[in-house]
Amino acid sequence: MIFAADLDRTLLFSQRRLEGDAAVIPVEYRFGEPFGFMTPGGFSALRTLQKQAVCFVNTLRGLEQANRVVFVSDGSCRYLSLQNGLYLYRDGKEDSVWAAHVKRTVHALPLHLTDGAGIVLKQLPGIQCLSKQYEYLAVFFVEDESFDDRACSSLAAELSASGWALYRQRKKLYLYPQALDKGAVLERVRELEGCGTAVGFGDSWFDVPMLRACDAAWSLKGCELEGTDWGFPIQYSSLPAQAGTEEVLTRILTGLGEGYYAEKS
């Protein structure tokens, strides 16, 4: 079985994202200080799951940020996908086949990322600045008071015709190739693993393509996915945040032990 999971607000939580009184331990360090947390039970369940399934972390983070997490940097995850599916690592080495596919896909688009970023800066009200422009992804900071959601939706439709997706998540706006997402990179992992059964765990709109591509999908009570019909079943925890993560990981482990996630050919 492939266990495909997002990182932030799914497996681990920053101090300000913790909820309730469930005890936590640090699982991520930034500048030598604890930064990301899980419950002890959740961390134990994840460690067990890493031994019983193929662990695939599928995150928006970059490589340096992902390696701040102890269960990523120690090599316990066989697969690591970065920047919403744009990069894929297998056993610590970048998958050259996926890298070539991403490069071909992006270079075939009629609009270059730099030009697309320029259009966003010029046409969309409420952009504070271009935060970062990576090889295939641009990230902007937005001003809540002046950001125009309708204008953003209109521009997103315009950019979609050129193969680019534009999506706002809280204080950030992302511009990325729409054909390359967390679901597409999961399909590559399934190919490498012989099309094994996949169980997904995520909390945000960016995780929807990955969850849709899985045989079973899990999410958390109170996250942005809850309350919307995504066109496929998602199971939600009964508790929010870090306690919910422990609940989901434990339930996935139980299902694995009972043979619920039998391998599919």
Side-chain angles (χ1 to χ4, degrees):
M1 184 194 86
I2 300 167
F3 173 59
D6 178 45
L7 271 180
D8 296 286
R9 302 180 75 175
T10 297
L11 290 181
L12 55 82
F13 299 81
S14 65
Q15 186 72 50
R16 66 191 182 95
R17 297 297 181 186
L18 296 171
E19 296 185 32
D21 56 2
V24 294
I25 57 173
V27 295
E28 176 188 8
Y29 294 85
R30 185 183 184 189
F31 305 123
E33 297 295 327
F35 190 75
F37 303 86
M38 297 178 71
T39 66
F43 185 60
S44 177
L46 176 62
R47 284 307 202 189
T48 302
L49 194 53
Q50 286 179 313
K51 296 175 182 177
Q52 297 184 11
V54 175
C55 189
F56 173 30
V57 164
N58 202 348
T59 178
L60 261 169
R61 292 190 185 199
L63 185 59
E64 183 179 352
Q65 290 177 312
N67 277 323
R68 297 194 311 231
V69 180
V70 296
F71 56 80
V72 174
S73 60
D74 67 3
S76 299
C77 301
R78 185 169 193 193
Y79 293 94
L80 173 64
S81 170
L82 305 168
Q83 292 186 10
N84 202 44
L86 294 174
Y87 301 91
L88 177 64
Y89 290 82
R90 184 187 191 191
D91 296 326
K93 296 181 180 180
E94 188 171 7
D95 179 9
S96 60
V97 173
W98 182 253
H101 170 68
V102 170
K103 184 176 182 179
R104 287 194 305 270
T105 300
V106 175
H107 284 194
L109 297 179
L111 181 68
H112 190 274
L113 175 62
T114 299
D115 297 327
I119 291 172
V120 172
L121 290 170
K122 182 179 180 180
Q123 297 187 17
L124 191 57
I127 299 296
Q128 183 179 19
C129 66
L130 172 62
S131 171
K132 292 181 180 178
Q133 181 172 321
Y134 300 98
E135 189 175 15
Y136 306 120
L137 170 74
V139 185
F140 308 83
F141 280 126
V142 303
E143 292 279 5
D144 281 332
E145 297 79 9
S146 56
F147 189 79
D148 190 330
D149 286 302
R150 288 188 178 182
C152 184
S153 296
S154 177
L155 183 56
E158 177 184 330
L159 292 170
S160 178
S162 297
W164 293 93
L166 185 67
Y167 182 73
R168 180 188 178 186
Q169 189 176 63
R170 296 181 287 276
K171 292 285 188 178
K172 293 181 180 179
L173 183 73
Y174 297 87
L175 179 67
Y176 61 95
Q178 61 186 5
L180 301 164
D181 56 28
K182 289 188 175 186
V185 73
L186 172 58
E187 291 304 327
R188 171 59 180 163
V189 171
R190 295 179 87 159
E191 176 187 345
L192 290 168
E193 289 296 315
C195 297
T197 298
V199 176
F201 185 20
D203 75 291
S204 77
W205 182 87
F206 285 109
D207 299 317
V208 170
M210 175 182 74
L211 298 178
R212 182 180 286 116
C214 288
D215 301 283
W218 291 86
S219 191
L220 294 170
K221 176 182 177 64
C223 76
E224 66 180 64
L225 299 184
E226 192 177 26
T228 298
D229 182 1
W230 297 101
F232 63 96
I234 299 177
Q235 300 179 75
Y236 293 89
S237 62
S238 62
L239 299 169
Q242 73 274 17
T245 294
E246 179 177 341
E247 177 187 344
V248 168
L249 294 175
T250 301
R251 292 177 68 181
I252 292 174
L253 264 181
T254 300
L256 186 60
E258 295 176 349
Y260 183 77
Y261 305 117
E263 286 295 315
K264 298 181 180 181
S265 59

